[in-house]
Amino acid sequence: MTSVSRFSAVCAATLTLVVAGCGGSGGDAPPPLDPRDSAGGVSGNLSDTRLTDIPGLGGGDGAAQGGGLTPVNRFLWRASLDTLAFLPLNSTDPFTGVIATDWAASPDAPNERFKVTAYVQSPQLSANALKVAVFREVRAADGGWASAPVSGSTARQLEDAILVRARQLRIGERESQG
């Protein structure tokens, strides 16, 4: 099994577990995020932040937003964070819709590493609103890292998993509202 197909298999298995094991949060909403803290991007995990708590962002399924900011679909945003939770986050920026992970290597393949960047580009919950880029590096003979090709299906599998999770979140919210 090649290292790329091994990573794809690990991603698919992890994503299946993430999607299957995700349920409602059942807790109180976190305090609002101060938009001044994320103007240049926020390092760390914003998975407990709701976009509806950020002025001008994430009003729902495509409703126009004020404030001159590009609204980001809150279901795609949350689903992206949930789906990419198996990788360490490098930065997140709800204003631009960018979630970037840090490099991570599998214990089964320590000589290769991956990172992912997800772009939520629209207030619509649709496949066109999401783009995922996967980057791969392999350890060179000198110990440094060199870029390596990634199967095109890997990014597509991650996009599909994010879209499935986003739809689950939307359905869950509608069911809880009655």
Side-chain angles (χ1 to χ4, degrees):
M1 179 180 256
T2 68
S3 58
V4 172
S5 62
R6 185 174 342 143
F7 178 75
S8 294
V10 169
C11 282
T14 303
L15 296 173
T16 301
L17 291 173
V18 168
V19 171
C22 292
S25 62
D28 289 78
L33 176 68
D34 185 347
R36 294 170 295 187
D37 292 341
S38 58
V42 175
S43 294
N45 190 342
L46 288 181
S47 63
D48 292 332
T49 301
R50 293 184 356 186
L51 286 180
T52 55
D53 295 335
I54 302 172
L57 290 179
D61 269 339
Q65 300 297 310
L69 298 173
T70 302
V72 175
N73 183 278
R74 61 190 167 121
F75 300 115
L76 283 175
W77 180 260
R78 178 69 220 192
S80 297
L81 289 170
D82 288 353
T83 304
L84 298 176
F86 70 98
L87 293 169
L89 288 179
N90 184 23
S91 66
T92 57
D93 187 352
F95 294 98
T96 61
V98 176
I99 299 170
T101 72
D102 204 354
W103 290 103
S106 166
D108 295 335
N111 290 326
E112 67 177 346
R113 63 186 188 173
F114 295 87
K115 76 176 184 176
V116 177
T117 303
Y119 305 93
V120 181
Q121 303 173 322
S122 167
Q124 302 296 323
L125 178 50
S126 71
N128 294 336
L130 177 68
K131 299 291 179 228
V132 172
V134 179
F135 305 92
R136 177 176 171 251
E137 290 184 342
V138 294
R139 193 176 307 271
D142 65 359
W145 293 96
S147 293
V150 178
S151 169
S153 66
T154 304
R156 182 60 180 208
Q157 289 173 349
L158 285 169
E159 287 174 355
D160 290 346
I162 291 168
L163 289 165
V164 166
R165 179 67 183 135
R167 288 183 190 108
Q168 289 174 339
L169 290 170
R170 183 179 66 183
I171 290 168
E173 181 179 282
R174 286 185 179 169
E175 288 174 352
S176 70
Q177 292 177 350

